[in-house]
Amino acid sequence: MNRKWTKVALAVTVVGTMVGCSSNDNAAPTPGSTQSISKPAKFKVGIGTEGLQYIEGSPNINEDEYTKKLREISKSDVTLELIPHREFDQKLTLLFAGGDLPDLLQTHGINKPEVAPAVDTGVIIPLNDLIDKYGPNLKKNISKEAWEFASVSKDGKIYGIPSVNATPNGSVMMVRKDWLDKLGLKAPKTVDEYLDMLRAFRDKDPNGNGKNDEIPYSGREKLAFTEAFFGAYDALPLDWKFENGQLIPNLIRPQMKQALATYRKMYEEKLLDNEVFVQKAPVWDAKIKAQGIVGLWTHAPRLADKWSAEVKTGTSSAQLEVIQSPVGPDGKGGHSIGSTVGGNVWVVPKTTKNPENVIKFLDWFYSDEAQKFLTYGLEGKDYTLENGKMKYKYPEKQEDIYREEMHLTWLRMVGPLHLTDAEFMKNRPAGDMVLKGMDVASKEGRKNDALGMPSLPTMQTRPELARDGLWLETAAKIITGKEPVDSFDKFVEDWKKRGGDQAIKEATDWYKSTHK
């Protein structure tokens, strides 16, 4: 079969999937060959649901019309098995422990604690030779920097195929512009200006329903999607800073104590959603969209158009604006500046019988037919052809917005993002808001000195030292008022004694060896 392959000069690739063992006896032909096959290559792919409503609400994702179309045009017999978004890391750990692995598996990086041991023990195979032989488009379009990144490679061996980030900074602040306009407010810049805006949202009935039901700022369980104010204090919980000759986690730096004091104030004054430590994604979504009672939230700039449309589903007059993150004492702010490598990295277990088939499958995503399907969906349903020109039905209803995510983002396992399709974005409602969001993201953010650091041995054996361990427990008690802010000092002491000092030594050794 002859295929025309696109020549898109991107830095990386995108990816996502999950599953159990299978046989890959029918190898697919290499891209561009004329070899015919009697039967498509059969394999299973493990994929996270990403918390997407369309995916999680599907009665059988493998009978979905988009999945069927994927099989048809990729000429593969691929089976998708879902990993629940909320339990992704735990399920991955269980999967590796049980040994019943898929042929192609989505991870969040080979240096993550749940994945790193599988690399060290040979459960995940190196892909260098397979990519050289069966992945010409992967090799051509993924940058050297991306291939060498710690979440992708180790000791010169490539163990994963990475996703691509639209911007290195993946989060921005989104605010109800109609609330700002109604209250005569300008977009805030400093932490204090932000707090004043949130107080106005709380007290002045910006949604106009006569009820005191507004939630100024909301996030999801474990304090997720609320980290902008940590950024204002240069204390993003996942990041590290090299200072005084050591690489120190923000979790224990003095700036963290200042940030926690601000979050405590927001919680006490009900400026921050008081369910932020337990709130699941669907509840959070409903508050912002269907109920229309949230004034400020954090999310990806590449999805600004989606949010702009969705806030109107509950309040037709709702308007969205992307604004700069709060700046702190040093006049800076924003979320963590990451790499061009995205959050998803595909790996191939050693139990995969014909690993060349999954590499060919991922390589296919750079074809014109793949990109047309992923961006525009199904003919007759998502687009029509009029006089030879494609007319895309940009979604307006909530159910259509959710369905679009299936082909536009979720099935796009690798390859160029729809954001690089100039015509598609130009005609897309609120496409300009996406571009603005990406511009805002590119101009702010905090540097993480541990960017690319592999999983530290001590952090692997002492997971309580990570963000969701002792720190989250302490942060929850301080923010909700169960313990004083000064209890942070005891946490730091305890963190160091439990292995933190050793983790700092390991991190510092890595930093000095790679920043000579």
Side-chain angles (χ1 to χ4, degrees):
M1 55 188 167
N2 294 312
R3 290 181 180 144
K4 178 183 176 185
W5 294 84
T6 54
K7 297 181 179 179
V8 182
L10 279 180
V12 199
T13 50
V14 177
V15 83
T17 21
M18 149 107 201
V19 60
C21 291
S22 72
S23 174
N24 297 338
D25 295 328
N26 301 292
T30 55
S33 75
T34 56
Q35 175 187 352
S36 61
I37 54 175
S38 58
K39 224 158 125 183
K42 185 175 183 179
F43 53 90
K44 293 182 179 180
V45 179
I47 182 167
T49 64
E50 306 292 348
L52 299 178
Q53 289 86 344
Y54 183 89
I55 312 303
E56 295 187 341
S58 173
N60 185 344
I61 201 67
N62 287 293
E63 291 301 312
D64 182 90
E65 57 190 328
Y66 293 97
T67 306
K68 289 181 177 180
K69 189 66 174 179
L70 174 69
R71 290 195 197 98
E72 175 191 334
I73 61 177
S74 68
K75 295 179 173 57
S76 63
D77 186 4
V78 57
T79 299
L80 305 178
E81 292 190 1
L82 304 179
I83 309 174
H85 180 62
R86 294 195 308 270
E87 305 167 359
F88 187 87
D89 294 344
Q90 300 93 309
K91 292 293 185 183
L92 233 55
T93 299
L94 292 173
L95 202 62
F96 283 122
D100 186 20
L101 294 166
D103 302 301
L104 181 63
L105 177 63
Q106 177 189 357
T107 74
H108 292 153
I110 67 165
N111 56 345
K112 293 294 183 180
E114 64 276 7
V115 184
V119 173
D120 295 337
T121 56
V123 173
I124 294 173
I125 64 172
L127 304 175
N128 302 60
D129 293 342
L130 288 164
I131 293 169
D132 285 343
K133 190 171 183 180
Y134 303 106
N137 294 288
L138 299 174
K139 187 174 181 179
K140 178 175 63 178
N141 292 293
I142 298 178
S143 70
K144 182 173 182 289
E145 173 198 6
W147 285 127
E148 294 176 351
F149 200 65
S151 65
V152 175
S153 295
K154 183 176 182 179
D155 298 330
K157 294 181 179 179
I158 298 170
Y159 288 94
I161 298 176
S163 62
V164 63
N165 274 329
T167 58
N169 181 352
S171 297
V172 291
M173 305 302 289
M174 298 183 182
V175 70
R176 283 284 297 271
K177 182 180 182 298
D178 53 313
W179 286 19
L180 288 177
D181 292 345
K182 181 176 181 179
L183 301 180
L185 299 173
K186 293 181 179 180
K189 294 182 179 179
T190 67
V191 169
D192 287 341
E193 289 173 355
Y194 257 89
L195 296 182
D196 286 341
M197 177 190 74
L198 296 177
R199 291 183 184 109
F201 285 174
R202 178 194 63 193
D203 299 335
K204 297 184 178 181
D205 191 29
N207 68 7
N209 66 358
K211 301 177 183 178
N212 186 23
D213 60 351
E214 287 85 355
I215 299 173
Y217 184 35
S218 187
R220 282 160 42 173
E221 60 183 328
K222 297 182 180 180
L223 211 57
F225 293 93
T226 63
E227 296 192 337
F229 289 87
F230 287 113
Y233 293 94
D234 197 14
L236 292 162
L238 289 175
D239 292 1
W240 296 58
K241 288 292 174 183
F242 186 74
E243 53 189 13
N244 301 321
Q246 289 185 306
L247 190 60
I248 307 292
N250 283 346
L251 294 178
I252 66 169
R253 294 172 66 229
Q255 291 87 336
M256 178 59 72
K257 188 174 181 179
Q258 293 177 279
L260 289 174
T262 295
Y263 277 85
R264 181 188 181 99
K265 179 189 293 186
M266 289 195 294
Y267 188 93
E268 286 175 348
E269 295 187 29
K270 289 187 168 42
L271 306 180
L272 176 66
D273 193 332
N274 279 194
E275 296 182 350
V276 75
F277 288 100
V278 296
Q279 186 157 257
K280 305 296 184 186
V283 178
W284 180 68
D285 261 20
K287 287 180 178 180
I288 297 172
K289 302 167 188 174
Q291 298 176 49
I293 57 175
V294 175
L296 179 74
W297 62 96
T298 304
H299 215 264
R302 65 182 177 81
L303 298 177
D305 56 343
K306 172 179 176 288
W307 281 101
S308 180
E310 288 182 327
V311 294
K312 294 180 183 294
T313 59
T315 308
S316 59
S317 61
Q319 292 181 302
L320 184 69
E321 184 68 86
V322 174
I323 59 176
Q324 74 169 55
S325 299
V327 299
D330 64 356
K332 300 177 183 178
H335 295 80
S336 184
I337 299 173
S339 164
T340 52
V341 175
N344 292 326
V345 176
W346 293 98
V347 301
V348 180
K350 67 178 180 181
T351 50
T352 300
K353 292 185 178 180
N354 297 98
E356 67 273 13
N357 288 337
V358 296
I359 300 300
K360 293 174 185 177
F361 174 67
L362 293 180
D363 199 71
W364 167 82
F365 278 79
Y366 281 93
S367 68
D368 289 341
E369 62 180 350
Q371 289 303 308
K372 175 184 174 183
F373 164 60
L374 296 169
T375 300
Y376 293 97
L378 301 173
E379 183 177 358
K381 189 180 192 72
D382 302 305
Y383 72 91
T384 56
L385 291 175
E386 297 182 6
N387 299 320
K389 290 188 176 182
M390 185 177 295
K391 187 174 182 181
Y392 185 68
K393 301 175 184 177
Y394 290 98
E396 296 179 0
K397 297 180 181 179
Q398 183 69 75
E399 61 187 68
D400 295 330
I401 295 171
Y402 287 159
R403 190 185 73 249
E404 184 191 46
E405 291 177 318
M406 173 68 167
H407 66 85
L408 196 61
T409 61
W410 192 72
L411 281 179
R412 196 181 294 268
M413 298 181 185
V414 297
L417 298 173
H418 66 280
L419 301 173
T420 64
D421 188 322
E423 183 178 356
F424 181 80
M425 293 304 297
K426 179 181 69 174
N427 297 318
R428 188 172 183 80
D432 58 336
M433 189 170 293
V434 173
L435 299 178
K436 179 183 178 180
M438 293 172 67
D439 181 60
V440 169
S442 69
K443 294 177 179 177
E444 63 181 25
R446 295 289 190 175
K447 181 184 177 184
N448 175 18
D449 289 334
L451 188 64
M453 183 171 70
S455 182
L456 302 173
T458 296
M459 300 298 279
Q460 290 185 42
T461 58
R462 304 302 299 266
E464 70 272 19
L465 299 178
R467 178 202 186 276
D468 290 353
L470 295 171
W471 178 83
L472 183 62
E473 180 183 338
T474 301
K477 291 176 180 178
I478 290 174
I479 292 171
T480 60
K482 294 178 180 177
E483 289 188 2
V485 176
D486 284 343
S487 66
F488 175 77
D489 300 328
K490 176 64 172 64
F491 152 75
V492 173
E493 182 182 338
D494 190 32
W495 187 91
K496 290 182 175 182
K497 288 180 179 178
R498 291 200 187 199
D501 281 333
Q502 178 60 26
I504 289 173
K505 181 182 182 305
E506 294 166 359
T508 301
D509 289 344
W510 166 82
Y511 183 88
K512 290 182 176 179
S513 69
T514 55
H515 294 74
K516 294 179 180 178

